[in-house]
Amino acid sequence: GENVEQHPSTLSVQEGDSAVIKCTYSDSASNYFPWYKQELGKRPQLIIDIRSNVGEKKDQRIAVTLNKTAKHFSLHITETQPEDSAVYFCAAIKVSELTFGTGTRLTIIP
Amino acid sequence: KAGVTQTPRYLIKTRGQQVTLSCSPISGHRSVSWYQQTPGQGLQFLFEYFSETQRNKGNFPGRFSGRQFSNSRSEMNVSTLELGDSALYLCASSLWQGGLEQFFGPGTRLTVL
């Protein structure tokens, strides 16, 4: 099956700085890569996604890049704010099965 | 448009019992997927239902089962509960089969004593 590795497991950045979270996947048949944000005690929320035929996608302060050859994708958050503090999960889909990374706890330091 | 809802939000059961969890997808969404979230194992895929048929199943024992009704609502059943089944069970809905653009419900917190 698919295996998704996510790094780092924890990340602290100063407010206003950028944060980068990286994921690798194992199965080249995976073709959809969403990112979810989960605040404490809340449901995961889809924040951005990318399909395998696209190399980069942006939505305001967040962006995702995908390198199909190397089988890795990254989440970039610029101008971080305190409300960005949460656990972020990457995922990869192959034939409707969503495999999640182990999560990154992002803390924004005011 | 109302989001994904799950009932009940909290459940306490004892070993050996069975439990049924319910998920109502976003109106118009026809696919419902179920996930188990634990601190140790993270988020793990259980199964996906689309048009009342199970389309895919994760690596869980047969004690975990589900179904989907004609209105796209879905139920998940766990029989012969074990302590290790204690977890947050999340469902997610999407328009079509395939897992794209899934929106999660608030989850059901199951505690097995």
Side-chain angles (χ1 to χ4, degrees):
Chain A
E2 174 64 279
N3 181 47
V4 177
E5 294 190 357
Q6 182 172 348
H7 299 281
S9 57
T10 61
L11 179 62
S12 294
V13 301
Q14 209 72 34
E15 182 178 352
D17 288 350
S18 295
V20 181
I21 303 170
K22 298 182 179 181
C23 289
T24 60
Y25 60 101
S26 60
D27 196 327
S28 56
S30 291
N31 57 9
Y32 172 71
F33 308 92
W35 286 88
Y36 285 87
K37 173 184 179 183
Q38 189 174 28
E39 297 176 73
L40 190 62
K42 296 191 176 180
R43 70 189 77 187
Q45 284 188 299
L46 178 65
I47 56 171
I48 196 167
D49 56 14
I50 192 167
R51 306 195 185 199
S52 58
N53 59 348
V54 175
E56 183 176 3
K57 183 176 178 180
K58 287 183 181 179
D59 183 3
Q60 299 183 338
R61 297 187 297 109
I62 59 174
V64 57
T65 58
L66 171 64
N67 184 326
K68 283 172 54 181
T69 304
K71 293 206 278 285
H72 68 71
F73 56 112
S74 300
L75 177 71
H76 305 254
I77 306 174
T78 59
E79 301 172 12
T80 53
Q81 300 169 4
E83 54 264 36
D84 294 330
S85 293
V87 178
Y88 291 81
F89 293 94
C90 64
I93 279 190
K94 184 188 74 168
V95 195
S96 82
E97 179 172 341
L98 196 58
T99 301
F100 283 89
T102 48
T104 297
R105 183 173 299 280
L106 175 63
T107 302
I108 307 301
I109 305 166
Chain B
K1 189 181 274 190
V4 180
T5 59
Q6 291 186 246
T7 57
R9 295 293 311 278
Y10 303 92
L11 264 179
I12 299 176
K13 293 285 186 179
T14 56
R15 278 182 300 173
Q17 288 187 308
Q18 75 165 18
V19 67
T20 300
L21 314 181
S22 180
C23 173
S24 293
I26 292 171
S27 177
H29 283 196
R30 296 171 58 191
S31 172
V32 173
S33 296
W34 288 89
Y35 299 88
Q36 182 194 67
Q37 186 173 29
T38 60
Q41 299 296 319
L43 273 158
Q44 292 188 289
F45 171 78
L46 281 155
F47 28 65
E48 180 194 22
Y49 284 87
F50 179 80
S51 292
E52 302 176 63
T53 303
Q54 188 181 92
R55 302 293 177 162
N56 202 358
K57 183 172 167 51
N59 190 24
F60 278 82
R63 300 185 296 108
F64 292 81
S65 63
R67 60 178 175 168
Q68 187 180 35
F69 302 95
S70 58
N71 61 358
S72 295
R73 189 177 70 86
S74 178
E75 288 182 347
M76 190 191 92
N77 185 76
V78 188
S79 63
T80 320
L81 284 166
E82 300 177 359
L83 295 179
D85 297 333
S86 294
L88 180 67
Y89 289 89
L90 293 157
C91 74
S93 77
S94 57
L95 272 172
W96 300 109
Q97 175 190 354
L100 306 187
E101 297 182 9
Q102 294 187 28
F103 296 90
F104 281 85
T108 293
R109 172 76 60 187
L110 173 64
T111 302
V112 182
L113 302 176

